[in-house]
Amino acid sequence: MTNDPMKKIALLLCFSVLMFSAANAQSRKTEILWDNWGVPHIYGKTTAGMYYAFGWAQMHNHADLILQLYGEARGRAAEYWGKNFLQGDEIVQKLNLAQVAQKVYDEQHPEYKAYLEAFVKGINAYAKAHPKAISERYNQILPVTPQDVIAHTINILAVDFIAADNIYGSIREASRGSNAMAIAAGRSASKHAMLMANPHLPWQGFFTFFEAHLNAPGFSAYGTTLVGLPVLAIAFNNNLGWTHTANPNNNSTRYELTLKDNGYLLDGAVVPFETRTATIKIKQPDGTMKEEQLVCKYAKQGPVIAEKKDNAYAVRISGFDNAYFNEQYHKMAKASNFAEFESAVKMLQMPMFNLIYADKAGNIMYLDGGDVPVHATGDFWFWHDKVDGTSSKYIWSKIFPYKGLPKLFDPPTGFVQNSNDVPWTCTYPTVLNPKNYPAYIAPEGWYARDFRDQHAMNMVKNNHSITFDDLVGYKLNTELETADRYLDSLLKAVAEHPDTIALKAAKVLKAWDRHADANSRGTILWIQWCNDMNPDSVYKNPWELANPASTPNGLKYPGYAVRKLKQAANEVIKRFGSLDPAWGDFNRFRSGDIDLPGNGAPSTYGSYRAVGFRYDNKDKKFRGSGRRFVCGYNRVWQAGKSHGVIKLRQCIPNWQQTYRRPAKINVREEAAPRFTYKGRYS
């Protein structure tokens, strides 16, 4: 070791520079901190770095699923995985999704194109760094491109949400119904606005939610998105938050074309189809490839989805080629006040969905959002059905302006809510009047017919000082609104038309707590009676907009209702061994080896905690719907306070054990930032 003081100083300076350079390099790294629930808390030194890590983190948790979804969006899934994917490939090819995705990519503004490309780089970097984390079946999708992400986004939002009914003929088994509620500061006990986000989707496929906390200079937001999407779709920051529910809409149109002379009739003339031929490869069981030629046809109305002898069906989808969806949602998450948030929403890149909003200033908002086509004629139900394709007057081209959409900002009622029903019932007493809007915007009548909107209104309407715990309790509420409408009338009818078995059933229902909790006794009997009743023979007084929280009600035919109660009682005894089995004994939450009593019920019966159950042949019980059923992404946000969280796993706390435990990715050893967990676990 040298004794020269100058050399010592030089060595010390050199060492200090190296240490500073290393520390500075480390500080430039984007960090992902994983909390106990497997949620990534991402801290990017740049916004692009944040989105790079977002792509990385999604792959870490769902690599195989993401690659499958991108493969499907390419229209090449049958080539990768066989004939079971052929129908989806044909739809993607008919919609020419690859060309649309390229167009959308080319139209990206430079800043947001860079964020998208960073997200894709993160996906590919994870795949390169962790090849063993990806099944051989999905490796062939790599590398992922920005166009893949765009095509997947369009495939989910435009095809599977907006146009599924028109394309596939019936909506795929999907939502059990979403709930949302915002409480204004004036109606909140804390004098802070609150927001409850509770979308319900099966825990599988493209419906899978991915929860994350994203941070970069000038940006901090916590929320969720559908796996594979590059932005948060439901989120909150330190100043505001929003959520979505699916809204009744006709943002796609199915036209019935009349075929003639290798073309179709339009305004009395034969018009030839535009065509292109796509080659679809289909992987065979022995690994060989079979090729099919698909002739894709295009009418003035849009791509032809199906044909029969004399007719064809073309679909026109609003928002199909929206180029700035990612930009809008980034700006929404970055907004610090309502003016900034609304400026982003006015971009109208959200092709459908209700939007429910709350902020730190105490404001709340409801918006019946989406790209609603402008029509010269026809009401909601006219456009909900197939439309005459022989007349060009039905081919729409314009989108309804933001200023004309049904919306409420800080209504005097102090709250807004939606559970997939019409905008007119978003608060109580009602404020929005359907007569002030075009008839095609939304139906005037009772659309959802499942009582959740009404139950929400009834939970809130008499509480003028709503606490955080109240709001959590509303979200978890399993009371059946149908019981409040019909049960008293049914008990009276039994007294007027006495029958031995009906009297025994009435005794059970009189003692019943009117809930679908695990220990509730009488729920199974009530639901069986509801199922046995002819829907047109139930209520005496139909639904009316003037009394949306108390109609329909009463029994139309009391004697018939008693006979059906007797029938239901006999069926329950036969199937379950008694008149009053506990709900949770036969309705189960199951995943792998986990088998726990369920709660909640299908929304048809008025349970705000909407849970679907399906018959399990294994033991003749029922299990929560979905391959891995969860109660949905659940969050309650209170402005100006710590963020209260009802975790996505809240209905079965130990289910997180079935997920792959996250490894560390450039992670500090210290724990991730903690959030306040509030709410009961049931």
Side-chain angles (χ1 to χ4, degrees):
M1 185 173 179
T2 181
N3 290 319
D4 187 336
M6 293 304 294
K7 288 185 177 180
K8 285 184 176 181
I9 292 172
L11 287 170
L12 181 60
L13 287 173
C14 183
F15 179 74
S16 298
V17 169
L18 289 172
M19 289 298 293
F20 176 81
S21 298
N24 195 43
Q26 175 66 26
S27 71
R28 288 196 298 269
K29 291 182 179 179
T30 291
E31 292 180 310
I32 304 176
L33 309 180
W34 295 91
D35 68 17
N36 294 338
W37 297 92
V39 174
H41 301 256
I42 295 170
Y43 294 85
K45 298 305 177 183
T46 65
T47 305
M50 175 187 77
Y51 280 119
Y52 174 97
F54 192 35
W56 177 292
Q58 288 201 36
M59 282 289 283
H60 177 270
N61 281 16
H62 299 288
D64 285 354
L65 175 58
I66 289 171
L67 295 177
Q68 177 181 318
L69 294 173
Y70 291 166
E72 292 176 7
R74 288 178 182 173
R76 297 175 59 190
E79 174 185 343
Y80 300 136
W81 306 302
K83 65 179 182 180
N84 289 340
F85 292 85
L86 180 58
Q87 182 192 32
D89 283 359
E90 290 176 344
I91 295 298
V92 168
Q93 292 294 343
K94 289 176 180 179
L95 295 174
N96 207 1
L97 205 54
Q99 184 182 74
V100 176
Q102 183 62 51
K103 174 179 177 290
V104 169
Y105 175 75
D106 292 340
E107 293 177 3
Q108 296 295 295
H109 294 138
E111 177 184 352
Y112 299 94
K113 180 180 285 189
Y115 298 160
L116 173 61
E117 290 174 343
F119 178 80
V120 170
K121 287 178 181 177
I123 288 173
N124 290 324
Y126 179 87
K128 184 176 180 180
H130 299 279
K132 293 183 179 179
I134 300 170
S135 301
E136 183 178 351
R137 173 180 172 90
Y138 301 105
N139 266 322
Q140 57 195 318
I141 305 302
L142 296 165
V144 170
T145 69
Q147 291 83 349
D148 290 331
V149 178
I150 293 169
H152 169 63
T153 303
I154 298 171
N155 201 29
I156 297 307
L157 295 177
V159 180
D160 285 297
F161 274 99
I162 294 177
D165 195 20
N166 287 329
I167 290 175
Y168 295 104
S170 61
I171 296 176
R172 296 176 179 178
E173 181 182 356
S175 174
R176 306 298 169 222
S178 298
N179 302 324
M181 191 178 293
I183 308 299
R187 196 150 183 169
S188 166
S190 67
K191 302 307 175 186
H192 296 284
M194 296 185 289
L195 176 71
M196 186 270 285
N198 181 216
H200 306 164
L201 295 174
W203 187 238
Q204 62 187 39
F206 63 78
F207 293 116
T208 304
F209 275 127
F210 184 79
E211 186 176 354
H213 183 197
L214 304 184
N215 297 272
F219 187 99
S220 181
Y222 190 113
T224 190
T225 193
L226 293 175
V227 66
L229 300 190
V231 289
L232 294 175
I234 293 173
F236 61 84
N237 59 35
N238 289 329
N239 298 295
L240 56 85
W242 79 91
T243 186
H244 290 304
T245 64
N247 49 348
N249 71 82
N250 289 319
N251 295 359
S252 75
T253 306
R254 177 165 54 106
Y255 295 92
E256 186 176 51
L257 309 179
T258 299
L259 300 178
K260 186 176 182 180
D261 298 337
N262 296 319
Y264 61 100
L265 289 175
L266 186 66
D267 297 333
V270 176
V271 180
F273 290 104
E274 294 183 15
T275 63
R276 73 178 184 90
T277 300
T279 299
I280 296 182
K281 296 181 179 180
I282 308 166
K283 187 174 183 179
Q284 303 301 299
D286 62 1
T288 61
M289 287 290 175
K290 175 184 176 182
E291 290 190 358
E292 291 186 359
Q293 302 301 309
L294 178 68
V295 178
C296 303
K297 297 181 179 181
Y298 302 91
K300 298 290 186 183
Q301 292 87 344
V304 173
I305 298 301
E307 288 186 62
K308 55 184 182 180
K309 184 177 180 181
D310 298 317
N311 298 100
Y313 297 91
V315 174
R316 194 172 188 86
I317 307 171
S318 67
F320 186 63
D321 57 355
N322 283 354
Y324 309 119
F325 175 85
N326 296 339
E327 180 176 340
Q328 174 177 320
Y329 274 80
H330 176 87
K331 289 179 175 179
M332 287 163 62
K334 188 178 180 179
S336 60
N337 55 50
F338 178 72
E340 293 177 2
F341 184 84
E342 187 180 38
S343 177
V345 174
K346 285 180 178 179
M347 293 174 68
L348 289 180
Q349 297 297 293
M350 177 181 71
M352 64 170 286
F353 301 118
N354 294 298
L355 186 149
I356 293 85
Y357 164 96
D359 66 27
K360 193 173 182 178
N363 304 307
I364 60 173
M365 181 183 74
Y366 164 82
L367 169 68
D368 180 26
D371 294 328
V372 180
V374 173
H375 302 298
T377 187
D379 63 8
F380 180 88
W381 297 110
F382 174 88
W383 292 100
H384 197 69
D385 201 353
K386 62 178 180 285
V387 174
D388 178 13
T390 66
S391 176
S392 62
K393 71 179 182 180
Y394 297 128
I395 303 176
W396 49 265
S397 59
K398 296 181 180 180
I399 300 301
F400 206 71
Y402 172 82
K403 65 180 181 180
L405 293 172
K407 67 179 80 64
L408 279 182
F409 180 75
D410 282 345
T413 56
F415 79 98
V416 292
Q417 64 81 36
N418 185 267
S419 294
N420 310 116
D421 217 319
V422 293
W424 330 124
T425 58
C426 68
T427 195
Y428 185 86
T430 59
V431 175
L432 295 176
N433 186 343
K435 302 299 183 184
N436 295 331
Y437 300 88
Y440 56 77
I441 286 283
E444 287 194 31
W446 184 28
Y447 177 82
R449 307 183 73 84
D450 71 358
F451 290 97
R452 278 181 298 123
D453 257 41
Q454 299 180 43
H455 193 47
M457 289 184 276
N458 284 324
M459 288 190 293
V460 174
K461 68 181 184 181
N462 294 321
N463 188 347
H464 295 278
S465 183
I466 298 169
T467 67
F468 181 90
D469 288 338
D470 286 339
L471 193 55
V472 172
Y474 295 158
K475 182 263 158 259
L476 297 172
N477 188 283
T478 70
E479 186 177 0
L480 303 190
E481 183 74 19
T482 51
D484 290 339
R485 302 302 175 85
Y486 309 131
L487 181 51
D488 290 342
S489 296
L490 179 59
L491 295 177
K492 180 180 178 182
V494 172
E496 294 173 350
H497 302 82
D499 173 271
T500 301
I501 187 66
L503 287 168
K504 291 180 179 179
K507 183 177 180 180
V508 169
L509 293 176
K510 188 175 182 179
W512 174 41
D513 62 6
R514 302 191 180 195
H515 285 68
D517 290 326
N519 295 322
S520 295
R521 295 182 179 274
T523 314
I524 290 177
L525 175 61
W526 178 255
I527 287 180
Q528 185 64 52
W529 176 78
C530 290
N531 291 343
D532 288 345
M533 289 287 288
N534 184 324
D536 295 330
S537 302
V538 180
Y539 45 83
K540 180 179 180 180
N541 304 305
W543 184 86
E544 55 184 30
L545 184 58
N547 297 290
S550 58
T551 56
N553 58 44
L555 287 177
K556 192 172 185 179
Y557 303 114
Y560 169 80
V562 173
R563 293 195 299 274
K564 287 298 181 180
L565 179 61
K566 179 180 177 180
Q567 177 182 319
N570 287 326
E571 181 65 20
V572 168
I573 293 172
K574 178 181 177 181
R575 296 182 68 183
F576 303 101
S578 70
L579 268 175
D580 62 345
W583 179 250
D585 285 351
F586 290 91
N587 293 276
R588 313 293 296 177
F589 289 149
R590 289 174 169 171
S591 178
D593 295 331
I594 297 173
D595 185 355
L596 299 174
N599 66 358
S603 59
T604 306
Y605 312 106
S607 175
Y608 199 67
R609 183 179 174 85
V611 180
F613 293 90
R614 70 173 186 269
Y615 190 68
D616 193 334
N617 289 320
K618 182 175 67 174
D619 57 5
K620 298 182 180 180
K621 294 185 180 181
F622 299 83
R623 62 186 303 160
S625 299
R627 181 167 53 86
R628 285 185 177 178
F629 181 83
V630 294
C631 295
Y633 173 81
N634 307 295
R635 184 165 299 286
V636 178
W637 178 81
Q638 184 171 1
K641 295 288 185 179
S642 60
H643 297 128
V645 177
I646 311 171
K647 275 295 184 180
L648 189 139
R649 273 68 54 183
Q650 58 91 9
C651 55
I652 302 181
N654 57 345
W655 266 19
Q656 69 269 21
Q657 298 171 7
T658 68
Y659 303 144
R660 183 169 54 187
R661 182 60 65 183
K664 296 171 182 173
I665 308 175
N666 192 25
V667 182
R668 295 197 304 263
E669 291 297 324
E670 62 194 62
R674 303 291 295 191
F675 286 81
T676 303
Y677 296 91
K678 298 192 70 173
R680 77 171 188 253
Y681 292 83
S682 52

